[in-house]
Amino acid sequence: MTALIDRVTAINWNRLDDEKDLEVWDRLTGNFWLPEKVPVSNDIPDWRAMSEAEHTLTMRVFTGLTLLDTIQGTVGAVSLIPDALTPHEEAVYTNIAFMESVHAKSYSSIFSTLCSSEQIDEAFSWSERNEHLQRKAQIVLDYYEGDDPLKRKVASTLLESFLFYSGFYLPMYFASHAKLTNTADVIRLIIRDEAVHGYYIGYKYQRGLALATDQKRAEMEDYTYALLDELYANEVLYTHSLYDPVGLSGDVEKFLRYNANKALMNLGYPALFPSEACDVNPAILAALSPNADENHDFFSGSGSSYVMGKAEETDDDDWDF
Amino acid sequence: MAAVVYFSSASNSTARFVEHCAFEDAGIHTARIPLRPADKPLHIDEPFVLICPTYGGGEATKAVPVQVKRFLNDPANRQWIRGVIAAGNTNFGTAYAAAGPIIARKCHVPLMYRFELMGTSADVRAVRKGLIEFFRTQSQDQP
């Protein structure tokens, strides 16, 4: 354990070593939200009309997400603080840790709105028993408690940008069927936050890597792909344990690979899975990002709906986007 | 002659995408818009396509990086823009790659393509092939 530090220097936001710290701080504070602002109770009629299998699946998925957010809020983001290179980086991690706790609480807020306490207890008990969920928690916890700052950042980025998505799939699936749309709004806010967290921790990883030796850099690249392989194999098993009863596992796996690629890119590494293996169901993509499936491929020339500005005079002095 | 002009912050995601496209090998110049106000401003005097990341974390008014606005604010630069390609992240919902349509509308040019983060190898292939073809057609149109 690190000893308690005996001196703290007051943080001066007017003197920045890394401008990215302030940029991300502003972005995170600008995105601040609380689950109480979203009218989840409007989903009660949808919830009542859903089957028992759908209820069980939803609660298990959300309990799994709660576990990950709890880890990230109380151990993961906090474990990055001693490794920070600037006081502003420390401050950003405290914001990330707090928002993870808000995310963890959001699931409880959804549960208390929609479910009975017996259902809630059953789901939490399931999360303790599911070996794949416990294994994924254990893998990341081991790295958080290890002694390598770069490895901690890799584990953290993979958690933020990859491990959540087996769970995030379900509310996007329901939203694409016009079910639990307010719950999906809460999850979209979480998804937006995780994008900034993954981006920032991945960026700090790359900054740290730039100071390392060539040998260490090669070791870290091998380590990253090996850890992703290990986590991916476990995610596939976890996905089947959840989604096989509703026949969605194959569709979820595409979403896993798509997000695994994005997690690697946040760390500065090339995507691993080929595009053909990541052809996420367009309905899921549209639930995530309403205009993401519009065709903006000007080059293919087929059915292009690319944006061409309409002729409109602009004054050069008035070039205000 | 033709160029790809791009902006990339300290995270270098867009810079990596441009590097992977290896435009210079195909005779297309690349030029990076400087990060800091004190840096020497970029001046362009040939047709170019802009590759731009999206900022703001979901807020449309902050989607276009201020450095890109400054570059495009110069009419001498702006007259040469022929298209825009935007990077983003679908996690930001409706704001995914929002810098693209904003610049396209403002500059009356097509939004040619969108990709996420530093782009996949499929994105690199599509944009490299597409821009080589696009600039070839452009130079035939304007002898």
Side-chain angles (χ1 to χ4, degrees), chain A:
Chain A
M1 259 334 271
T2 39
L4 198 63
I5 47 172
D6 54 8
R7 186 171 180 279
V8 172
T9 304
I11 184 168
N12 179 1
W13 282 97
N14 292 309
R15 193 163 286 281
L16 293 165
D17 298 311
D18 184 347
E19 285 163 20
K20 197 60 90 183
D21 295 335
L22 178 59
E23 179 194 316
V24 169
W25 172 272
D26 286 344
R27 198 183 283 195
L28 289 171
T29 52
N31 283 352
F32 177 74
W33 60 279
L34 287 171
E36 289 75 14
K37 304 285 181 202
V38 183
V40 174
S41 60
N42 291 345
D43 286 344
I44 292 173
D46 286 354
W47 179 257
R48 289 195 177 138
M50 286 163 66
S51 69
E52 200 184 320
E54 288 175 319
H55 284 182
T56 304
L57 173 61
T58 307
M59 301 200 56
R60 288 179 175 180
V61 160
F62 284 1
T63 316
L65 289 169
T66 305
L67 178 62
L68 288 187
D69 274 313
T70 309
I71 290 173
Q72 196 63 353
T74 59
V75 185
V78 178
S79 79
L80 301 174
I81 294 176
D83 306 332
L85 299 176
T86 68
H88 316 97
E89 183 181 355
E90 293 179 339
V92 173
Y93 291 141
T94 60
N95 179 301
I96 291 177
F98 171 66
M99 280 317 290
E100 298 297 354
S101 295
V102 171
H103 299 171
K105 186 168 179 296
S106 302
Y107 298 110
S108 286
S109 151
I110 293 169
F111 284 158
S112 64
T113 308
L114 300 177
C115 322
S116 70
S117 41
E118 291 76 26
Q119 283 179 308
I120 299 171
D121 290 344
E122 195 288 320
F124 275 90
S125 150
W126 174 87
S127 77
E128 296 294 323
R129 293 192 314 268
N130 184 283
E131 55 172 317
H132 312 300
L133 179 60
Q134 288 301 319
R135 182 161 160 67
K136 103 160 126 177
Q138 198 53 54
I139 294 171
V140 286
L141 277 174
D142 286 348
Y143 285 107
Y144 288 157
E145 285 157 7
D147 55 7
D148 188 325
L150 289 174
K151 289 184 177 172
R152 249 196 294 279
K153 288 196 181 64
V154 171
S156 217
T157 305
L158 293 181
L159 185 147
E160 300 272 13
S161 304
F162 171 57
L163 291 180
F164 281 117
Y165 290 82
S166 51
F168 288 156
Y169 174 91
L170 188 69
M172 294 302 109
Y173 173 83
F174 284 142
S176 74
H177 290 77
K179 283 185 200 170
L180 304 184
T181 53
N182 295 283
T183 301
D185 284 342
V186 174
I187 307 302
R188 283 190 194 96
L189 290 167
I190 296 176
I191 288 174
R192 185 181 70 178
D193 290 344
E194 305 304 6
V196 182
H197 299 174
Y199 169 81
Y200 181 73
I201 301 168
Y203 163 77
K204 286 294 179 181
Y205 168 73
Q206 294 176 64
R207 292 289 295 236
L209 203 61
L211 303 172
T213 62
D214 287 352
Q215 191 195 344
K216 176 67 179 177
R217 273 203 285 272
E219 181 202 323
M220 286 309 303
E221 182 163 358
D222 290 347
Y223 158 81
T224 300
Y225 283 96
L227 177 58
L228 181 72
D229 275 347
E230 185 184 8
L231 290 170
Y232 176 74
N234 187 63
E235 277 305 283
V236 170
L237 296 172
Y238 179 58
T239 295
H240 282 276
S241 77
L242 284 168
Y243 293 95
D244 274 357
V246 290
L248 289 171
S249 296
D251 215 32
V252 180
E253 283 183 39
K254 290 178 184 176
F255 195 56
L256 294 183
R257 292 189 286 266
Y258 164 72
N259 285 290
N261 280 347
K262 287 171 67 172
L264 286 169
M265 289 195 264
N266 273 334
L267 289 162
Y269 294 124
L272 175 67
F273 298 102
S275 303
E276 315 84 78
C278 309
D279 54 337
V280 177
N281 182 343
I284 300 299
L285 211 51
L288 182 65
S289 171
N291 54 12
D293 62 340
E294 282 170 23
N295 181 7
H296 283 288
D297 188 354
F298 171 83
F299 306 127
S300 75
S302 58
S304 45
S305 67
Y306 63 85
V307 179
M308 172 75 89
K310 40 182 202 305
E312 169 195 333
E313 287 306 313
T314 46
D315 185 341
D316 292 332
D317 298 331
D318 181 36
W319 185 259
D320 180 17
F321 280 93

Side-chain angles (χ1 to χ4, degrees), chain B residues 43-118:
Chain B
H43 293 293
I44 285 287
D45 54 5
E46 60 185 334
F48 72 89
V49 166
L50 177 68
I51 304 185
C52 182
T54 300
Y55 271 39
E59 223 180 310
T61 52
K62 293 180 181 163
V64 180
V66 62
Q67 294 88 343
V68 174
K69 289 183 188 175
R70 201 177 298 128
F71 169 77
L72 289 174
N73 263 333
D74 183 347
N77 287 330
R78 194 166 70 240
Q79 64 173 322
W80 295 108
I81 187 170
R82 297 293 178 267
V84 60
I85 291 170
N89 186 336
T90 55
N91 282 42
F92 295 116
T94 50
Y96 166 52
I102 293 172
I103 294 170
R105 218 168 287 131
K106 198 79 188 169
C107 298
H108 316 307
V109 292
L111 170 58
M112 296 172 148
Y113 198 86
R114 298 181 299 178
F115 63 90
E116 289 195 78
L117 305 169
M118 60 186 242

